[in-house]
Amino acid sequence: MDNSIGQWLKDERIRMYGWVNASTNWTTNKNTNGPDSYWLRANRIELDQFVFKIEREVDSVQQDHIDWGFRSCILYGQDYRFTTAGGWGGDQLFIHNLLYGWDPIEQYFDIYFPHFFAGGTDSPHWPLGSLSRH
């Protein structure tokens, strides 16, 4: 990453991170392990989840100004089948029954108000789920 971009992200307290998780299984079944097992397809290596997060946490230690934060977390892989209840991208599973799909599992915005109560208060996470279509 370019130093100027990296320094800007650090100065703004924006973090980006994630992980990859894969799995495999060995069985006498030929095509599927369902409905008895978490592993859907027999005798294959599969991508369970590739997760990417970008976030900015509110600075609730300081008391002199309003601060803001957010989190956006996207999941891709077979595990979208277990998190797709939010409604975004639900057609992948509910209409097309895709093996792999994506799901925006966390999307929210936060505001910290230091002067409302002694010690300040943090807004509830304002989820962006109200923007989803159902």
Side-chain angles (χ1 to χ4, degrees):
M1 188 176 288
D2 180 46
N3 284 340
S4 61
I5 294 172
Q7 188 60 47
W8 179 82
L9 290 170
K10 185 177 179 180
D11 292 344
E12 294 297 320
R13 303 184 331 268
I14 296 173
R15 299 183 327 149
M16 295 185 288
Y17 58 99
W19 61 86
V20 176
N21 185 50
S23 66
T24 189
N25 67 87
W26 182 39
T27 179
T28 57
N29 294 338
K30 290 185 179 183
N31 296 320
T32 182
N33 289 321
D36 297 337
S37 176
Y38 163 81
W39 297 282
L40 299 174
R41 300 198 308 178
N43 305 312
R44 296 178 186 252
I45 297 173
E46 302 289 357
L47 174 65
D48 293 331
Q49 50 184 249
F50 171 83
V51 175
F52 175 75
K53 286 189 180 190
I54 182 170
E55 68 182 358
R56 181 183 193 272
E57 294 183 8
V58 298
D59 182 358
S60 59
V61 174
Q62 59 82 25
Q63 296 289 309
D64 62 339
H65 64 276
I66 294 173
D67 198 24
W68 59 276
F70 68 91
R71 177 179 289 164
S72 178
C73 181
I74 308 291
L75 175 143
Y76 177 81
Q78 283 189 34
D79 286 355
Y80 90 101
R81 296 172 162 272
F82 307 109
T83 63
T84 195
W88 287 338
D91 292 357
Q92 301 169 93
L93 178 61
F94 302 126
I95 294 176
H96 304 291
N97 195 27
L98 298 178
L99 180 62
Y100 292 100
W102 63 273
D103 190 30
I105 54 179
E106 287 182 285
Q107 309 297 319
Y108 67 79
F109 188 78
D110 243 352
I111 298 178
Y112 171 70
F113 301 96
H115 303 293
F116 278 4
F117 299 103
T121 186
D122 195 4
S123 70
H125 295 314
W126 290 329
L128 301 177
S130 60
L131 301 176
S132 66
R133 64 179 182 87
H134 293 278

